[in-house]
Amino acid sequence: MSDSPSTFENFKLNKQLLDAVSEAGYTKATPIQEKAIPLALAGHDLLGIAQTGTGKTAAYILPLLMKIKYAQGKHPRALILAPTRELVMQIEEAAITFGKYTDLRFVSLYGGLGPKTQIENLQKGVDIIISTPGRFLDLYRKGEIFTKEIKTMILDEADKMLDMGFMPQIRSILEVIPVKRQNLLFSATFGSKVEKFSHEFLEFPERVEVSPQATTAETIHQVKYFVPNIKTKINLLLHLLEDAGLNRVIIFTKSRKNAESVFSFLERKRLGEIRVIHANKGQNTRINSMEDFKAGEVRILVATDVAARGLDISMVSHVINFDVPLIYEDYVHRIGRTGRAENEGMAITFINPAEEYHFEKIEEIIRVEVPTLQIPTQVEIPQTPFEEKQGYEREIDTQKKKENPDFKGAFHEKKVKHRPNPDQKKEKRGNKNSKAKRNRNQLKSQGKWKKNG
Ligand code: AMP
């Protein structure tokens, strides 16, 4: 393979596809496309490690369209599974774009709305199904999908699917589709879960990987606050939002529950138009919220990672990580929403005691030590309620056990003693934050945003 990027003409794609690719404005293949397309076209099973933004969708859609070629019969011959409705819709869009000069029929299936239209679409005849695992299985069990002609199976964002607990559904699907088939698995990360699953799913796979784009954009200023408890997170959030400069803000939370709590709290404060998106919100509500936000009619969007994944929301003035993301790569996705196209953006992360461990891991991945800011004096810092503190301690124990399986667990020892010794605790936290303190000292004055560490 030459050093210069391939043009699409170098791949064994037909004219219908090449015309569509060129109309989509693609001239050069991205690295993942360059590596994956020839292998997939040759019929190999493929393990692709690539994030959103690398061009991974076209890397598997083009060979798939080339293989399926034209409409035939009534039943699906390929299945693409993706974790969220948004990603399913996005993949369908790519399929339509590249399949525009073919007569191929795509049907996308996802939850959040009744299955009637989806069933009607299936009954009209389909070549490629793009679906979330749950809805595919529902409709299969209703007898609406004939699976015996499926010869290609693609899993996109496999890591996310496994993290979201879709493994049982994926296994059930694998039981009902033919064993003899081509499998492609794409994942942003290659942790132990994905690795284990890949052995089960893929046969002699070719592995293609593009280096993780963990380097955070130059135009994004990142800062972090160490925040002792949830109440202080809320107070700090309110304080920051008093600044009108934060005019297009996404607040990320790790769960639907937190998203709802933050949303209802802020809504009462009347800080401007605000919306919330998470997996429990109806499809239309989510799309409308996003459109309003994009149009500049909404100041604040509260979102979970799952809901925001794959959504084309950019030009955000500030990203506030109300919670540290548990999937570390999501940090990069989150903050990538700001600082697009030469606009300077800011990413602010709130870190509670149990999240310090996770944020350190994120800093390792992005190879940046994010500067720490002190909580402004105007922000009230209430005491951490006992139960909340216990919760953090329990999590910290789990983290320590993960790092060192011999660790006995300070939390349980303390429980026997009934009460943690406050002095000891203070000292422990002091040590823990020493790195942060050094950082803080470096930042002589508050409000001085240091670029990327
Ligand atoms: P993906 O990683 O598949 O989500 O793609 C990220 C974005 O890159 C999408 O907006 C694609 O349309 C775009 N894209 C993918 N491949 C190419 C290419 N070869 N040339 C230009 N844009 C591309």
Side-chain angles (χ1 to χ4, degrees):
M1 202 173 282
S2 73
D3 288 340
S4 59
S6 304
T7 64
F8 284 87
E9 278 75 21
N10 294 349
F11 303 127
K12 290 187 184 120
L13 297 170
N14 61 24
K15 186 164 180 335
Q16 286 96 316
L17 293 176
L18 288 175
D19 285 350
V21 165
S22 125
E23 275 176 39
Y26 295 13
T27 47
K28 300 267 184 278
T30 65
I32 192 79
Q33 291 161 357
E34 201 174 346
K35 292 177 190 167
I37 291 175
L39 292 167
L41 281 174
H44 289 284
D45 270 16
L46 210 66
L47 170 64
I49 311 295
Q51 293 181 345
T52 301
T54 53
K56 64 173 168 67
T57 319
Y60 65 75
I61 286 276
L62 288 170
L64 178 67
L65 299 187
M66 186 66 198
K67 180 173 173 184
I68 306 287
K69 267 201 187 75
Y70 40 78
Q72 193 181 305
K74 190 166 178 282
H75 304 302
R77 284 170 291 147
L79 169 63
I80 304 174
L81 291 180
T84 61
R85 290 167 253 195
E86 282 75 16
L87 188 59
V88 166
M89 288 165 69
Q90 210 173 284
I91 297 167
E92 186 190 25
E93 218 169 275
I96 293 170
T97 303
F98 298 126
K100 69 190 281 196
Y101 295 117
T102 73
D103 60 352
L104 289 169
R105 298 154 301 171
F106 314 109
V107 173
S108 60
L109 309 174
Y110 41 81
L113 69 173
K116 191 166 164 278
T117 314
Q118 296 174 358
I119 292 173
E120 282 166 10
N121 289 340
L122 287 169
Q123 287 170 348
K124 284 182 212 154
V126 53
D127 301 294
I128 299 172
I129 292 183
I130 306 154
S131 182
T132 52
R135 180 52 66 98
F136 181 88
L137 211 51
D138 285 351
L139 295 183
Y140 169 77
R141 287 178 176 150
K142 279 197 165 82
E144 298 296 343
I145 304 171
F146 181 81
T147 51
K148 299 295 174 229
E149 288 174 18
I150 294 177
K151 297 283 163 51
T152 312
M153 174 135 168
I154 300 172
L155 302 189
D156 197 354
E157 295 194 359
D159 49 349
K160 198 80 181 177
M161 285 202 274
L162 299 187
D163 285 335
M164 287 168 73
F166 285 139
M167 192 67 186
Q169 284 97 326
I170 295 174
R171 283 228 171 88
S172 306
I173 294 171
L174 291 177
E175 276 169 24
V176 300
I177 65 173
V179 178
K180 206 166 169 311
R181 53 169 200 265
Q182 183 183 14
N183 300 298
L184 313 181
L185 185 153
F186 282 81
S187 179
T189 56
F190 193 59
S192 55
K193 263 195 256 177
V194 178
E195 186 180 357
K196 196 158 159 256
F197 177 67
S198 70
H199 295 311
E200 203 176 305
F201 179 63
L202 301 169
E203 225 172 274
F204 305 111
E206 297 281 348
R207 180 182 163 129
V208 292
E209 189 166 357
V210 290
S211 51
Q213 310 208 320
T215 337
T216 39
E218 280 289 299
T219 48
I220 306 171
H221 295 214
Q222 302 172 63
V223 293
K224 67 188 175 205
Y225 289 94
F226 289 101
V227 188
N229 49 45
I230 187 119
K231 277 229 173 83
T232 312
K233 281 194 177 182
I234 291 277
N235 293 345
L236 179 58
L237 184 61
L238 269 183
H239 174 80
L240 295 175
L241 288 171
E242 277 167 16
D243 179 351
L246 280 75
N247 55 13
R248 239 179 216 239
V249 188
I250 302 193
I251 301 170
F252 280 105
T253 64
K254 66 178 174 197
S255 64
R256 287 174 213 171
K257 190 169 148 265
N258 282 12
E260 277 298 339
S261 312
V262 169
F263 170 73
S264 38
F265 180 82
L266 292 180
E267 201 185 25
R268 287 198 299 272
K269 297 287 173 186
R270 307 197 175 279
L271 294 158
E273 279 299 307
I274 174 165
R275 303 275 191 278
V276 60
I277 56 169
H278 55 64
N280 264 14
K281 288 271 160 192
Q283 183 69 12
N284 289 341
T285 316
R286 281 207 258 175
I287 291 171
N288 291 341
S289 302
M290 234 181 59
E291 293 302 324
D292 292 347
F293 186 75
K294 274 201 215 170
E297 285 159 19
V298 168
R299 180 188 178 204
I300 304 167
L301 186 67
V302 184
T304 57
D305 293 296
V306 172
R309 237 194 198 208
L311 295 186
D312 177 27
I313 314 173
S314 55
M315 311 299 282
V316 175
S317 73
H318 293 70
V319 164
I320 299 180
N321 297 313
F322 188 83
D323 300 307
V324 172
L326 295 176
I327 298 165
Y328 302 145
E329 282 75 9
D330 280 341
Y331 180 80
V332 182
H333 291 298
R334 286 182 181 187
I335 74 168
R337 312 276 179 184
T338 178
R340 289 260 170 107
E342 309 300 312
N343 285 311
E344 294 210 336
M346 185 168 290
I348 304 165
T349 304
F350 297 173
I351 305 171
N352 74 26
E355 290 171 329
E356 289 178 21
Y357 171 88
H358 299 296
F359 200 77
E360 276 173 22
K361 299 265 173 202
I362 288 171
E363 289 181 322
E364 277 169 31
I365 291 178
I366 61 174
R367 295 182 291 274
V368 167
E369 190 171 332
V370 175
T372 307
L373 290 185
Q374 259 175 319
I375 299 173
T377 47
Q378 305 93 301
V379 175
E380 198 204 337
I381 307 181
Q383 285 242 317
T384 311
F386 183 66
E387 261 182 37
E388 191 179 336
K389 200 185 274 179
Q390 264 193 325
Y392 296 144
E393 284 173 6
R394 204 173 283 135
E395 278 183 56
I396 291 168
D397 266 11
T398 312
Q399 293 156 5
K400 286 192 178 152
K401 273 188 200 143
K402 209 160 132 193
E403 296 281 313
N404 170 16
D406 295 331
F407 179 73
K408 291 286 181 287
F411 173 73
H412 300 290
E413 281 165 28
K414 270 183 203 139
K415 222 170 132 191
V416 176
K417 281 193 240 154
H418 290 298
R419 262 186 187 285
N421 175 338
D423 294 336
Q424 264 178 9
K425 272 213 58 85
K426 216 185 260 166
E427 196 179 279
K428 197 174 123 214
R429 293 216 41 78
N431 289 340
K432 222 169 175 332
N433 279 347
S434 58
K435 200 158 119 188
K437 267 197 190 138
R438 277 205 307 280
N439 230 327
R440 235 175 262 162
N441 292 339
Q442 271 173 15
L443 270 166
K444 296 233 167 66
S445 60
Q446 250 182 40
K448 183 181 162 203
W449 309 100
K450 200 174 157 198
K451 205 169 176 177
N452 283 355

